[in-house]
Amino acid sequence: EAQLVESGGGSVRAGGSLRLSCVASGFTSDDYAIAWFRQAPGKEREGVSCISSIDGSMLYEDSVKDRFTISIDKSKNTVFLQMNKLEPEDTAVYYCAFDKGAVTFDYKVSCGPLQMYSSWGKGTQVIVSS
């Protein structure tokens, strides 16, 4: 089973930026997908962005389009989430999730469902103050 470790969370003012990292290990396949989800207090976990290692296809949920950028360094099995123009509504614990397999997001409309992902990190806290 893959292990995931997130880092890069913190506290920023609205309009600021953070860069999250997700390092994946414990698997041998070159074909996988990694997604970022987030969960705010009292709310359900929701997808943020996801990327495929096979073709680089990616998705962004509407609330983060044009503000967040996902990227992958396949040599290090690491996925980054650059978050710009942060808003208080972005405050949440951010989790990365791993799906082993030949996944493409070219024809999908969301990164979910949650059950698609077999491994999860422990999360990193992002707090955005107004």
Side-chain angles (χ1 to χ4, degrees):
E1 184 173 315
Q3 291 83 48
L4 306 175
V5 178
E6 305 98 333
S7 63
S11 297
V12 297
R13 299 288 294 273
S17 299
L18 285 172
R19 188 189 194 209
L20 305 184
S21 299
C22 173
V23 180
S25 62
F27 62 97
T28 56
S29 174
D30 290 331
D31 301 339
Y32 58 88
I34 289 183
W36 286 98
F37 288 80
R38 67 186 180 185
Q39 189 165 18
K43 294 188 176 181
E44 293 186 352
R45 193 168 296 190
E46 63 175 3
V48 176
S49 184
C50 44
I51 190 166
S52 165
S53 74
I54 300 171
D55 58 7
S57 57
M58 59 189 76
L59 277 177
Y60 297 94
E61 302 302 330
D62 287 346
S63 60
V64 306
K65 280 180 181 176
D66 300 324
R67 299 189 299 122
F68 291 9
T69 303
I70 194 169
S71 60
I72 187 169
D73 182 342
K74 290 190 287 184
S75 69
K76 297 180 180 179
N77 291 330
T78 300
V79 170
F80 304 97
L81 186 68
Q82 178 67 42
M83 307 188 296
N84 298 328
K85 300 179 182 178
L86 283 161
E87 303 169 351
E89 293 74 21
D90 296 316
T91 295
V93 177
Y94 284 69
Y95 300 89
C96 63
F98 176 92
D99 176 40
K100 183 178 73 172
V103 177
T104 179
F105 294 105
D106 276 344
Y107 307 107
K108 292 183 180 289
V109 296
S110 79
C111 297
L114 300 180
Q115 294 80 2
M116 170 180 162
Y117 298 92
S118 57
S119 298
W120 292 78
K122 294 183 178 180
T124 185
Q125 177 75 59
V126 171
I127 298 173
V128 185
S129 59
S130 58

